[in-house]
Amino acid sequence: MDKIRVKICGLREKAHVEAAVAAGATYLGFVFFAKSPRHLAIAEAARLALDVPPGVAKVALTVNATDAELDAITGAVPLDMLQLHGAESPARVAEVRARYGLPVMKAVGVADAEDLAALDTYGRVADQLLVDAKPPKGAALPGGNGLAFDWRLVAKKYWPCPWMLAGGLTPLNVAEAIRLTGARQVDVSSGVESAPGVKDAELIRAFIAAARGAVTA
């Protein structure tokens, strides 16, 4: 059976990029959203991305970004994927995918069964789905809030494209989340931090080990 693929998102320091790569992360996420404690300047992201070895996907997380903003990011940072984490419409997802020639991952927030229909809709235009916990009303951040949702809602579900589980995952619960949902890919940000925006190399290693261990658990 293939190993679980892990995305470590919100990386800001070279040491943590190196820790994630060494531990076996499949994807590394760089955040371009000024309100987030994980936000990176484009020049900083470019420096970090240049040190990532081939075979590890570099993902740019954006929130309702304009073409001008995406032009600036993609023009400077060597990327493998764009992650749209805002209120982008299906049409916008398709437009971004066509304009930049990069795979697009669309984040969809889930709180109850009514939210699942959006996964079918976006799954027809995106290359991947990020199934995340819906942020509480009035939240400043669309993700990275450390919140989980009822994983039974997406247990053994299949959509038109591959999907990744996110929302409140930690080294302590990721194996259970994988067991309950059947997810083959998982994403973590705040769950491997010692403080908001501050990654912890030991937690990164522990998370990836726990996720990978869930395959044979």
Side-chain angles (χ1 to χ4, degrees), residues 113-168:
E114 293 181 357
D115 298 316
L116 300 181
L119 290 164
D120 285 312
T121 300
Y122 282 106
R124 296 187 184 96
V125 293
D127 295 281
Q128 293 206 41
L129 295 168
L130 182 76
V131 184
D132 201 358
K134 181 178 282 187
K137 290 183 178 179
L141 303 177
N145 293 297
L147 301 175
F149 63 96
D150 185 349
W151 295 320
R152 292 171 296 182
L153 290 170
V154 297
K156 308 301 187 288
K157 298 286 186 183
Y158 300 93
W159 290 285
C161 67
W163 64 283
M164 183 178 292
L165 182 67

Side-chain angles (χ1 to χ4, degrees), residues 100-112:
Y100 296 99
L102 288 169
V104 172
M105 179 187 293
K106 179 66 180 87
V108 177
V110 172
D112 53 46

Side-chain angles (χ1 to χ4, degrees), residues 165-180:
L165 182 67
L169 298 178
T170 71
L172 298 179
N173 68 15
V174 66
E176 177 70 358
I178 291 168
R179 186 187 69 78
L180 285 175

